[in-house]
Amino acid sequence: KYTKFSIFYYWTNSMDQKTPIYNRSENVAIPSGEENKTAALSYDYKIMPLENTSSTGTYYCEVKWNDVQKMGKGVFVLARDTGYINTSYGWEILVALTVLLAVLSITATALLLWKRKVVCPRRNQPNILRQKVETQLPSASPPPPPPVYD
């Protein structure tokens, strides 16, 4: 009774419209001694390639005997026209942050070194440059240099 059956492949879109893809009829011969036993048979069907983004939906397989009908759980397929795009930007953000910190560090160091060489005006005399007068006794040791980050 169950040796003759039909296999149907179809898909449903987001509007639950059923679109047939492929069907076939089978007539399986039962070897002697195997009568009245349960058998499992596999039938594969490849759907290639997906034509466009409208191919998105749930794909089903259904088997029909004379009085029995069984349907699979279905497989949801999302078709996109651009393919898979990795959305993780962690590596790029890390490189950009490192470059930004390096530029800021170099700029700050350059400004500090430049400021050390330029003589700053006094607060009460803004237009007169302060002159640095160094007095040194001949026998005295030279004064220690000022720190780099004055």
Side-chain angles (χ1 to χ4, degrees):
K1 177 178 179 180
Y2 295 107
T3 59
K4 293 182 183 179
F5 55 92
S6 297
I7 303 172
F8 298 90
Y9 297 94
Y10 63 91
W11 69 282
T12 58
N13 60 17
S14 60
M15 313 265 277
D16 285 333
Q17 294 172 330
K18 196 174 184 179
T19 304
I21 299 172
Y22 176 75
N23 63 57
R24 65 195 253 185
S25 296
E26 291 290 327
N27 188 4
V28 179
I30 301 174
S32 65
E34 296 293 319
E35 297 88 355
N36 296 324
K37 289 186 179 179
T38 301
L41 301 173
S42 294
Y43 294 92
D44 295 331
Y45 180 73
K46 292 183 181 181
I47 302 167
M48 294 291 283
L50 295 176
E51 296 169 2
N52 52 35
T53 55
S54 65
S55 298
T56 295
T58 306
Y59 288 74
Y60 294 95
C61 172
E62 186 175 13
V63 179
K64 292 182 182 178
W65 290 271
N66 292 336
D67 57 346
V68 179
Q69 177 176 322
K70 295 285 183 180
M71 185 171 80
K73 295 177 183 177
V75 175
F76 179 77
V77 174
L78 174 63
R80 300 192 317 187
D81 57 353
T82 57
Y84 177 74
I85 297 174
N86 189 0
T87 57
S88 174
Y89 299 106
W91 187 251
E92 291 85 354
I93 290 172
L94 181 64
V95 170
L97 187 60
T98 303
V99 168
L100 177 66
L101 289 175
V103 168
L104 288 174
S105 176
I106 292 170
T107 304
T109 303
L111 285 173
L112 288 172
L113 291 174
W114 176 75
K115 187 175 181 180
R116 182 179 172 194
K117 292 181 182 180
V118 172
V119 178
C120 297
R122 289 185 184 174
R123 288 185 183 175
N124 56 359
Q125 298 174 350
N127 294 330
I128 301 173
L129 294 177
R130 184 174 68 183
Q131 295 179 354
K132 187 175 182 183
V133 177
E134 294 183 11
T135 58
Q136 182 178 355
L137 295 174
S139 62
S141 61
V148 175
Y149 290 100
D150 270 348

